[in-house]
Amino acid sequence: MRIALIGYGQMGREVERAALEAGFQVGPVFTSRTNPEGRGLTAEALREVDVCVDFSTPQAVVTNIQRVAEARKPIVVGTTGWYDRWDDVRPVIERAEIGFVYGPNFCLGIHVLFRLVAYGARLFRHLSEFDPYVVEWHHRRKADHPSGTALRLGRILLEHLERKTHLVTRLEGRIPPEGISVASVRAGAHPGTHLVGFDAPFETLEIMHTVRHRRAFALGALAAARFVKDRRGIFSFEEVVEHFLQGGGI
Ligand SMILES: NC(=O)c1ccc[n+]([C@@H]2O[C@H](COP(=O)([O-])OP(=O)(O)OC[C@H]3O[C@@H](n4cnc5c(N)ncnc54)[C@H](OP(=O)(O)O)[C@@H]3O)[C@@H](O)[C@H]2O)c1
Protein backbone atom coordinates (compact mmCIF):
# COMPACT_ATOMS: atom_id res chain seq x y z
CA MET A 1 0.00 0.00 0.00
CA ARG A 2 1.36 3.41 -0.97
CA ILE A 3 0.67 6.62 0.94
CA ALA A 4 1.37 10.19 -0.14
CA LEU A 5 2.38 12.61 2.61
CA ILE A 6 0.92 16.10 2.47
CA GLY A 7 2.93 18.12 4.99
CA TYR A 8 6.40 17.03 6.01
CA GLY A 9 6.86 18.63 9.42
CA GLN A 10 7.03 16.87 12.78
CA MET A 11 4.01 14.68 12.10
CA GLY A 12 4.62 14.06 8.40
CA ARG A 13 8.13 12.81 9.16
CA GLU A 14 6.88 10.62 12.01
CA VAL A 15 4.22 9.08 9.76
CA GLU A 16 6.92 8.38 7.20
CA ARG A 17 9.14 6.58 9.75
CA ALA A 18 6.24 4.54 11.11
CA ALA A 19 4.95 3.74 7.61
CA LEU A 20 8.30 2.49 6.33
CA GLU A 21 8.73 0.31 9.43
CA ALA A 22 5.24 -1.11 8.87
CA GLY A 23 5.99 -1.99 5.24
CA PHE A 24 4.06 0.82 3.51
CA GLN A 25 5.47 2.52 0.46
CA VAL A 26 5.78 6.25 0.96
CA GLY A 27 5.67 9.07 -1.58
CA PRO A 28 5.25 11.46 -3.15
CA VAL A 29 5.78 13.95 -0.31
CA PHE A 30 4.31 17.47 -0.55
CA THR A 31 5.44 20.57 1.33
CA SER A 32 4.60 24.26 1.00
CA ARG A 33 7.39 24.49 -1.58
CA THR A 34 6.24 21.61 -3.82
CA ASN A 35 2.53 22.22 -3.26
CA PRO A 36 1.76 25.97 -3.23
CA GLU A 37 -2.04 26.53 -3.23
CA GLY A 38 -2.45 22.75 -3.58
CA ARG A 39 -1.08 22.87 -7.12
CA GLY A 40 1.19 19.84 -6.62
CA LEU A 41 -1.75 17.54 -5.90
CA THR A 42 -2.63 16.53 -9.45
CA ALA A 43 -4.20 13.27 -10.63
CA GLU A 44 -0.91 12.51 -12.38
CA ALA A 45 1.20 13.08 -9.24
CA LEU A 46 -1.15 10.87 -7.19
CA ARG A 47 -1.58 8.15 -9.83
CA GLU A 48 0.25 5.40 -7.91
CA VAL A 49 -1.05 6.49 -4.49
CA ASP A 50 -3.62 4.47 -2.50
CA VAL A 51 -4.25 6.97 0.32
CA CYS A 52 -3.13 10.55 1.05
CA VAL A 53 -2.26 11.53 4.63
CA ASP A 54 -2.43 15.25 5.46
CA PHE A 55 -0.57 16.75 8.41
CA SER A 56 -0.10 20.24 6.99
CA THR A 57 -1.46 23.56 8.24
CA PRO A 58 -4.96 24.95 8.89
CA GLN A 59 -4.35 27.44 6.04
CA ALA A 60 -3.39 24.79 3.46
CA VAL A 61 -5.51 21.80 4.36
CA VAL A 62 -8.88 22.78 2.83
CA THR A 63 -7.39 23.36 -0.62
CA ASN A 64 -5.42 20.13 -0.24
CA ILE A 65 -8.61 18.19 0.47
CA GLN A 66 -10.33 19.77 -2.53
CA ARG A 67 -7.44 18.88 -4.82
CA VAL A 68 -7.20 15.29 -3.55
CA ALA A 69 -10.96 14.91 -4.02
CA GLU A 70 -10.62 16.12 -7.62
CA ALA A 71 -7.99 13.41 -8.11
CA ARG A 72 -10.46 10.91 -6.56
CA LYS A 73 -8.11 9.54 -3.91
CA PRO A 74 -9.02 8.68 -0.31
CA ILE A 75 -7.52 10.94 2.35
CA VAL A 76 -6.78 10.87 6.08
CA VAL A 77 -6.65 14.37 7.59
CA GLY A 78 -4.87 14.81 10.92
CA THR A 79 -4.47 18.56 10.51
CA THR A 80 -6.57 20.55 12.96
CA GLY A 81 -7.92 24.10 13.08
CA TRP A 82 -10.09 24.00 9.93
CA TYR A 83 -13.39 22.54 11.16
CA ASP A 84 -15.17 25.89 10.70
CA ARG A 85 -14.68 25.26 6.95
CA TRP A 86 -16.63 21.99 7.10
CA ASP A 87 -19.41 23.37 4.87
CA ASP A 88 -16.87 24.00 2.09
CA VAL A 89 -15.34 20.56 2.45
CA ARG A 90 -18.28 18.18 2.86
CA PRO A 91 -19.93 18.72 -0.58
CA VAL A 92 -16.59 18.31 -2.35
CA ILE A 93 -15.97 14.94 -0.68
CA GLU A 94 -19.53 13.79 -1.27
CA ARG A 95 -19.43 14.78 -4.94
CA ALA A 96 -16.12 13.00 -5.50
CA GLU A 97 -17.35 9.91 -3.56
CA ILE A 98 -13.98 9.38 -1.90
CA GLY A 99 -13.16 7.94 1.50
CA PHE A 100 -12.30 10.57 4.11
CA VAL A 101 -11.14 10.19 7.73
CA TYR A 102 -10.58 13.19 9.99
CA GLY A 103 -9.99 13.76 13.69
CA PRO A 104 -8.19 16.04 16.12
CA ASN A 105 -6.61 13.18 18.07
CA PHE A 106 -5.37 10.03 16.36
CA CYS A 107 -4.35 8.26 19.59
CA LEU A 108 -6.29 5.05 20.02
CA GLY A 109 -6.09 5.19 23.84
CA ILE A 110 -7.70 8.61 24.11
CA HIS A 111 -10.86 7.28 22.51
CA VAL A 112 -11.02 4.54 25.12
CA LEU A 113 -10.51 7.26 27.77
CA PHE A 114 -13.62 9.07 26.42
CA ARG A 115 -15.66 5.95 27.04
CA LEU A 116 -14.18 5.27 30.48
CA VAL A 117 -14.93 8.84 31.54
CA ALA A 118 -18.53 8.59 30.33
CA TYR A 119 -18.91 5.36 32.26
CA GLY A 120 -17.26 6.80 35.40
CA ALA A 121 -19.44 9.91 35.29
CA ARG A 122 -22.57 7.78 35.03
CA LEU A 123 -21.48 5.75 38.07
CA PHE A 124 -20.88 8.93 40.09
CA ARG A 125 -24.21 10.48 39.01
CA HIS A 126 -25.84 10.04 42.42
CA LEU A 127 -22.67 10.48 44.50
CA SER A 128 -22.49 14.24 44.66
CA GLU A 129 -19.50 14.30 47.03
CA PHE A 130 -17.32 13.21 44.07
CA ASP A 131 -16.32 16.42 42.34
CA PRO A 132 -14.99 15.97 38.75
CA TYR A 133 -12.12 17.87 37.13
CA VAL A 134 -9.92 17.79 34.03
CA VAL A 135 -6.21 18.65 33.76
CA GLU A 136 -4.12 18.63 30.59
CA TRP A 137 -0.38 19.11 29.97
CA HIS A 138 1.17 20.05 26.62
CA HIS A 139 4.40 21.45 25.22
CA ARG A 140 5.13 25.13 25.34
CA ARG A 141 4.58 25.62 21.55
CA LYS A 142 0.88 24.69 21.70
CA ALA A 143 -1.12 27.77 20.77
CA ASP A 144 -4.57 26.94 22.16
CA HIS A 145 -5.82 26.04 25.62
CA PRO A 146 -7.55 24.06 26.91
CA SER A 147 -6.86 21.38 24.30
CA GLY A 148 -9.81 20.25 22.17
CA THR A 149 -9.50 16.86 23.85
CA ALA A 150 -9.76 18.39 27.35
CA LEU A 151 -12.90 20.27 26.30
CA ARG A 152 -14.35 17.08 24.91
CA LEU A 153 -13.65 15.30 28.22
CA GLY A 154 -15.29 18.16 30.11
CA ARG A 155 -18.38 17.98 27.89
CA ILE A 156 -18.66 14.23 28.47
CA LEU A 157 -18.71 14.92 32.23
CA LEU A 158 -21.39 17.60 31.77
CA GLU A 159 -23.50 15.25 29.69
CA HIS A 160 -23.68 12.65 32.47
CA LEU A 161 -23.66 14.76 35.65
CA GLU A 162 -26.82 16.79 36.13
CA ARG A 163 -25.32 18.63 39.11
CA LYS A 164 -22.75 20.28 36.79
CA THR A 165 -23.78 22.94 34.27
CA HIS A 166 -20.60 24.42 32.76
CA LEU A 167 -16.84 24.18 32.31
CA VAL A 168 -14.53 26.66 34.02
CA THR A 169 -11.36 27.10 31.96
CA ARG A 170 -10.25 30.37 33.55
CA LEU A 171 -10.60 30.79 37.27
CA GLU A 172 -11.51 34.13 38.78
CA GLY A 173 -11.91 33.60 42.49
CA ARG A 174 -13.72 30.57 43.78
CA ILE A 175 -15.20 28.00 41.40
CA PRO A 176 -19.04 27.82 41.58
CA PRO A 177 -20.41 24.46 42.83
CA GLU A 178 -21.97 23.64 39.44
CA GLY A 179 -18.73 24.38 37.51
CA ILE A 180 -16.17 21.77 36.37
CA SER A 181 -12.56 22.95 36.47
CA VAL A 182 -10.60 22.32 33.23
CA ALA A 183 -6.98 23.31 33.80
CA SER A 184 -4.04 23.56 31.36
CA VAL A 185 -0.29 23.32 31.94
CA ARG A 186 2.11 24.47 29.19
CA ALA A 187 5.77 23.54 29.67
CA GLY A 188 8.74 22.03 27.88
CA ALA A 189 8.24 19.49 25.10
CA HIS A 190 5.45 17.38 26.58
CA PRO A 191 3.48 15.65 23.75
CA GLY A 192 0.24 15.56 25.76
CA THR A 193 -1.37 14.21 28.92
CA HIS A 194 -5.06 14.30 29.87
CA LEU A 195 -6.29 13.47 33.33
CA VAL A 196 -9.86 13.22 34.61
CA GLY A 197 -10.39 13.04 38.35
CA PHE A 198 -13.26 12.66 40.80
CA ASP A 199 -12.40 14.04 44.21
CA ALA A 200 -14.32 13.22 47.40
CA PRO A 201 -13.43 14.36 50.95
CA PHE A 202 -11.39 11.25 51.78
CA GLU A 203 -10.55 9.62 48.43
CA THR A 204 -9.71 10.46 44.83
CA LEU A 205 -10.17 8.51 41.60
CA GLU A 206 -8.08 9.56 38.59
CA ILE A 207 -7.94 8.26 35.01
CA MET A 208 -5.03 9.46 32.90
CA HIS A 209 -3.83 9.14 29.31
CA THR A 210 -0.30 10.11 28.31
CA VAL A 211 1.20 10.38 24.86
CA ARG A 212 4.81 9.37 25.32
CA HIS A 213 5.73 9.86 21.69
CA ARG A 214 4.29 11.35 18.50
CA ARG A 215 4.42 7.84 17.08
CA ALA A 216 1.09 7.20 18.80
CA PHE A 217 -0.60 9.71 16.44
CA ALA A 218 1.31 8.36 13.44
CA LEU A 219 0.16 4.80 14.08
CA GLY A 220 -3.43 6.03 14.37
CA ALA A 221 -3.07 7.78 11.00
CA LEU A 222 -1.77 4.59 9.40
CA ALA A 223 -4.60 2.56 10.91
CA ALA A 224 -7.02 5.12 9.43
CA ALA A 225 -5.27 4.85 6.04
CA ARG A 226 -5.76 1.08 6.00
CA PHE A 227 -9.38 1.55 7.05
CA VAL A 228 -10.25 4.08 4.36
CA LYS A 229 -8.31 2.56 1.46
CA ASP A 230 -11.29 0.68 0.01
CA ARG A 231 -14.13 2.67 1.56
CA ARG A 232 -16.17 5.66 0.45
CA GLY A 233 -17.77 8.23 2.71
CA ILE A 234 -16.90 10.46 5.63
CA PHE A 235 -15.63 8.89 8.86
CA SER A 236 -14.49 10.50 12.08
CA PHE A 237 -11.43 8.86 13.62
CA GLU A 238 -13.77 7.84 16.42
CA GLU A 239 -15.73 5.69 13.97
CA VAL A 240 -12.48 4.10 12.83
CA VAL A 241 -11.59 3.29 16.46
CA GLU A 242 -15.08 1.84 16.97
CA HIS A 243 -14.41 -0.50 14.06
CA PHE A 244 -11.18 -1.68 15.74
CA LEU A 245 -12.80 -2.00 19.17
CA GLN A 246 -15.40 -4.28 17.60
CA GLY A 247 -12.56 -6.55 16.48
CA GLY A 248 -12.24 -5.10 12.95
CA GLY A 249 -8.43 -5.56 13.03
CA ILE A 250 -5.92 -2.76 12.58
N1 LIG B 1 -4.85 14.47 14.58
C1 LIG B 1 -3.82 14.29 15.41
O1 LIG B 1 -3.75 13.31 16.15
C2 LIG B 1 -2.71 15.29 15.40
C3 LIG B 1 -1.52 15.05 16.12
C4 LIG B 1 -0.48 15.98 16.04
C5 LIG B 1 -0.62 17.13 15.26
N2 LIG B 1 -1.80 17.35 14.59
C6 LIG B 1 -1.99 18.49 13.70
O2 LIG B 1 -1.28 18.22 12.49
C7 LIG B 1 -0.87 19.44 11.88
C8 LIG B 1 0.63 19.37 11.57
O3 LIG B 1 1.36 19.28 12.77
P1 LIG B 1 2.96 19.28 12.76
O4 LIG B 1 3.38 19.29 14.18
O5 LIG B 1 3.49 18.22 11.86
O6 LIG B 1 3.25 20.73 12.09
P2 LIG B 1 4.57 21.26 11.40
O7 LIG B 1 5.77 20.57 11.95
O8 LIG B 1 4.50 22.74 11.46
O9 LIG B 1 4.42 20.80 9.86
C9 LIG B 1 3.52 21.38 8.95
C10 LIG B 1 3.92 20.98 7.56
O10 LIG B 1 2.92 21.44 6.64
C11 LIG B 1 3.60 21.83 5.47
N3 LIG B 1 2.80 22.66 4.57
C12 LIG B 1 2.47 23.97 4.64
N4 LIG B 1 1.74 24.32 3.56
C13 LIG B 1 1.61 23.20 2.79
C14 LIG B 1 1.00 22.91 1.57
N5 LIG B 1 0.37 23.87 0.84
N6 LIG B 1 1.07 21.66 1.09
C15 LIG B 1 1.72 20.69 1.75
N7 LIG B 1 2.33 20.89 2.94
C16 LIG B 1 2.28 22.14 3.45
C17 LIG B 1 4.83 22.54 6.00
O11 LIG B 1 5.77 22.65 4.95
P3 LIG B 1 6.93 23.77 5.01
O12 LIG B 1 7.85 23.32 6.08
O13 LIG B 1 7.50 23.68 3.63
O14 LIG B 1 6.23 25.08 5.29
C18 LIG B 1 5.25 21.55 7.09
O15 LIG B 1 6.02 20.51 6.50
C19 LIG B 1 -1.28 20.55 12.86
O16 LIG B 1 -2.55 21.04 12.45
C20 LIG B 1 -1.44 19.81 14.19
O17 LIG B 1 -2.36 20.43 15.07
C21 LIG B 1 -2.83 16.46 14.66
Side-chain angles (χ1 to χ4, degrees):
M1 171 167 170
R2 175 175 286 281
I3 57 169
L5 297 177
I6 309 174
Y8 197 54
Q10 295 195 92
M11 276 311 303
R13 285 165 208 262
E14 193 59 43
V15 171
E16 177 180 57
R17 284 187 285 269
L20 292 174
E21 279 177 30
F24 286 73
Q25 292 174 296
V26 177
V29 172
F30 300 91
T31 66
S32 60
R33 198 176 49 77
T34 58
N35 185 43
E37 307 293 324
R39 287 201 293 274
L41 298 166
T42 61
E44 177 55 25
L46 298 176
R47 197 157 50 88
E48 306 286 325
V49 170
D50 294 303
V51 179
C52 297
V53 178
D54 187 300
F55 280 98
S56 62
T57 63
Q59 296 73 33
V61 64
V62 173
T63 308
N64 291 344
I65 295 168
Q66 288 163 342
R67 299 285 289 165
V68 169
E70 281 164 25
R72 304 240 152 154
K73 292 288 175 179
I75 178 167
V76 173
V77 176
T79 308
T80 56
W82 60 273
Y83 300 134
D84 56 338
R85 302 279 310 278
W86 193 231
D87 289 347
D88 300 326
V89 168
R90 179 182 285 277
V92 176
I93 300 164
E94 285 173 350
R95 217 177 307 124
E97 295 186 329
I98 57 166
F100 182 83
V101 177
Y102 69 101
N105 194 322
F106 279 179
C107 266
L108 294 166
I110 208 84
H111 293 272
V112 174
L113 177 69
F114 290 151
R115 286 152 193 253
L116 292 176
V117 168
Y119 185 55
R122 281 201 299 277
L123 294 177
F124 282 127
R125 198 169 28 187
H126 304 298
L127 302 177
S128 60
E129 67 273 30
F130 282 85
D131 198 12
Y133 55 94
V134 180
V135 188
E136 54 102 350
W137 289 257
H138 278 94
H139 53 82
R140 191 167 266 290
R141 289 189 314 122
K142 188 167 173 64
D144 55 325
H145 73 93
S147 68
T149 301
L151 289 173
R152 173 79 198 280
L153 288 164
R155 288 190 199 111
I156 291 170
L157 292 169
L158 287 176
E159 207 176 296
H160 296 284
L161 293 168
E162 253 173 47
R163 62 182 179 276
K164 298 293 181 183
T165 59
H166 63 284
L167 304 179
V168 179
T169 57
R170 198 176 292 251
L171 271 178
E172 280 168 27
R174 229 180 238 178
I175 187 163
E178 62 283 357
I180 297 178
S181 186
V182 179
S184 305
V185 179
R186 294 289 173 267
H190 202 310
T193 287
H194 290 88
L195 179 148
V196 175
F198 298 87
D199 193 59
F202 304 107
E203 56 179 311
T204 303
L205 174 70
E206 292 186 329
I207 317 171
M208 185 168 90
H209 176 270
T210 297
V211 179
R212 286 202 308 276
H213 195 275
R214 234 173 250 115
R215 179 63 62 99
F217 301 120
L219 291 175
L222 293 178
R226 284 196 198 94
F227 173 89
V228 82
K229 178 171 170 283
D230 297 315
R231 285 184 167 83
R232 289 172 177 189
I234 297 175
F235 306 93
S236 67
F237 186 69
E238 233 163 320
E239 290 171 273
V240 176
V241 174
E242 179 61 35
H243 168 80
F244 297 137
L245 295 180
Q246 297 298 328
I250 295 192

